[in-house]
């Protein structure tokens, strides 16, 4: 079951490898969305998003990917407000990453 896969994924992440959990949860959430298990998929995706916010940090492309995928889930449930909010945040994250990269690369 999806719950069993989540438990296995969480238990497989060793101390110091927490950054692996976000992509795992995002991938599992995306699979659940594709299977039509939208509410469960959103829960996994929200777990990934919360993990980035609380452990890894939000200035990474994987965080933006999680936000984009959760926005699809919200659209599948007909919640365009949450979908737009998630997509907007993802766009902001990616724009900030691009500015940072160009700022660093531009000084070389």
């Amino acid at each position: 079951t999806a719950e069993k896969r989540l438990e296995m994924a969480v238990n497989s992440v060793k101390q110091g490898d927490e950054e692996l959990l976000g992509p795992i949860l995002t991938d599992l959430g995306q699979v659940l969305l594709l299977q039509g298990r939208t509410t469960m998929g959103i829960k996994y995706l929200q777990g990934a998003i919360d993990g980035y916010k609380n452990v890894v940090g939000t200035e990474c492309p994987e965080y933006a990917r999680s936000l984009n995928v959760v926005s699809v889930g919200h659209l599948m449930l007909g919640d365009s407000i949450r979908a737009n909010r998630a997509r907007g945040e993802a766009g902001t994250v990616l724009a900030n990453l691009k500015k940072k990269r160009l700022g660093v690369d531009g000084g070389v």
Side-chain angles (χ1 to χ4, degrees), residues 1-8 28 32 37 44:
T1 67
E3 293 81 10
K4 184 77 169 168
R5 288 190 302 266
L6 172 62
E7 184 180 337
M8 288 171 44
L28 287 171
L32 289 165
R37 300 174 66 192
Y44 278 61

Side-chain angles (χ1 to χ4, degrees), residues 11-92:
N11 291 336
S12 70
V13 176
K14 294 182 173 68
Q15 186 73 16
D17 289 333
E18 292 88 0
E19 71 276 359
L20 300 174
L21 191 55
I24 290 169
L25 292 175
T26 299
D27 291 342
L28 287 171
Q30 188 170 12
V31 167
L32 289 165
L33 293 181
L34 292 170
Q35 292 176 339
R37 300 174 66 192
T38 310
T39 303
M40 180 63 71
I42 289 173
K43 286 181 183 179
Y44 278 61
L45 291 159
Q46 193 59 53
I49 290 166
D50 292 343
Y52 285 114
K53 287 180 180 177
N54 298 322
V55 178
V56 178
T58 59
E59 292 190 14
C60 64
E62 281 294 320
Y63 175 65
R65 183 173 80 92
S66 298
L67 289 167
N68 278 325
V69 177
V70 82
S71 76
V72 172
H74 289 305
L75 282 176
M76 291 171 74
L77 293 177
D79 191 343
S80 60
I81 293 172
R82 284 188 177 158
N84 288 338
R85 190 178 307 136
R87 255 195 328 265
E89 187 175 349
T92 300

Side-chain angles (χ1 to χ4, degrees), residues 95-107:
N96 288 339
L97 287 170
K98 183 177 181 180
K99 285 180 192 175
K100 211 179 234 187
R101 182 178 53 91
L102 291 176
V104 171
D105 292 345

